[in-house]
Amino acid sequence: PGHDLAGVLPLRTQADADALLKATQDAKQVVIVGSSFIGMEAASSLIAEGRAVRVIAQEKVPFARVLGPEIGAMFQQLHEEKGVKFEVEAEVTALLGDAGRVTGVRLQSGKTLPADVVVLGVGVRPATDFLQEAFALDQDGGLTVDEYLQAADNVYVGGDIARVPLAATGQLARIEHWRVAQQHGRTAARNMLGQREQLTAAPFFWTQQYGKSLRYAGHAAQWDTIMYYGEVAQQDFLALYVQAGRIVAAAAMGRDADMIYIAELLGTGQMPAPADISAATKWVDLVG
Ligand SMILES: Cc1cc2nc3c(=O)[nH]c(=O)nc-3n(C[C@H](O)[C@H](O)[C@H](O)COP(=O)(O)OP(=O)(O)OC[C@H]3O[C@@H](n4cnc5c(N)ncnc54)[C@H](O)[C@@H]3O)c2cc1C
């Protein structure tokens, strides 16, 4: 309840971002629901002198499920140093209001946080209802395609809605990232022109918070271990995610050049075995 109160804002489009900046100009208490990329990036933009920003996180450590607890803790600390506060392992049960305007957020624990603006950084869903008569949609509204991004004769699908077999592992994944949508667009266009090209590019995304950029290549829904090189706490590191004895994804800060080669190795299936990697590995030399 309360999602339709004035001061409760989504963040999906440029217009949403403009409305949010306007609404927060005089805001003293901002609560952000969701601690994934949208919520955390919004927090890094909205924290300001004289304004309290609180992030409500379902998990114990933000980003732990995607990047691992060490990198998540580093981001949380970065935010806390700038003054952002976290409510972790928390669930919102209601948005409270007065005279049609939001005044606070109630958590399952019974705690109430005061708010004059609430940002909803949760709950993005594919807008694919219009396809449901023609296709068997996945439970989350996505559409599964083959490695050519083809869903049916003369129908190709790419971007956020596409559930695609990943070249590196064969696993199906629906990934909501900008570069991935561009990669899909290229491959789908070539195939529509009759080229029969498989999607091999490794998924890639970045996030920027307080001017610090993390880059991620590949896809690891789960992992057995993470191999770290450098210092996570210093925001200068490479993390390699190992699943069933293979490196399936990498995250890094301050190693942009290496990440270009790592993304290529992941996409082309040339990534060496974990035992063949060390701090001295020259990634550029591994690309054939
Ligand atoms: C706030 C925010 C921040 C983000 N930040 C990052 C980031 O830092 N890095 C990153 O990698 N990714 C980021 N993303 C994700 C990235 O924007 C998406 O992965 C990417 O835009 C997906 O492209 P797309 O073409 O699949 O979908 P979209 O960009 O959503 O485009 C779909 C288009 O289809 C139109 N459409 C929908 N239904 C119909 C219909 N029935 N008829 C006609 N048109 C229709 C829509 O209006 C829209 O224009 C962010 C997303 C959000 C919301």
Side-chain angles (χ1 to χ4, degrees), residues 9 32 41-42 52 187 230:
L9 300 167
I32 297 172
E41 288 173 11
T187 297

Side-chain angles (χ1 to χ4, degrees), residues 11-12 38 41 127 130 158-160 176-179 181 205-206:
L11 181 52
R12 292 192 206 106
I38 291 174
E41 288 173 11
F130 73 104
D160 282 4
E176 296 180 340
H177 288 302
W178 185 264
R179 262 280 285 279
F205 74 85
W206 72 95

Side-chain angles (χ1 to χ4, degrees), residues 32 34-35 55-62 86-91:
I32 297 172
S35 60
V55 175
I56 301 177
Q58 273 182 327
E59 61 270 90
K60 200 167 169 185
V61 178
F86 287 85
E87 293 288 334
V88 297
E89 295 183 294
E91 200 80 40

Side-chain angles (χ1 to χ4, degrees), residues 99-175:
R101 260 211 82 79
V102 74
T103 56
V105 175
R106 181 174 301 135
L107 304 180
Q108 200 161 36
S109 63
K111 192 168 175 179
T112 298
L113 307 174
D116 31 35
V117 171
V118 173
V119 184
L120 301 177
V122 289
V124 181
R125 207 190 121 82
T128 47
D129 290 353
F130 73 104
L131 294 171
Q132 67 190 0
E133 277 177 30
F135 296 95
L137 294 176
D138 303 331
Q139 217 172 12
D140 62 0
L143 190 49
T144 297
V145 294
D146 64 14
E147 59 272 43
Y148 303 98
L149 296 171
Q150 194 162 11
D153 274 353
N154 299 322
V155 179
Y156 293 82
V157 176
D160 282 4
I161 70 167
R163 180 165 275 106
V164 175
L166 298 176
T169 58
Q171 285 172 352
L172 286 170
R174 191 172 72 75
I175 299 175

Side-chain angles (χ1 to χ4, degrees), residues 248-276:
V248 294
M253 293 176 86
R255 317 248 169 152
D256 292 0
D258 284 350
M259 282 300 276
I260 293 170
Y261 304 118
I262 289 169
E264 190 163 336
L265 293 167
L266 286 166
T268 54
Q270 297 174 67
M271 178 56 83
D276 296 331

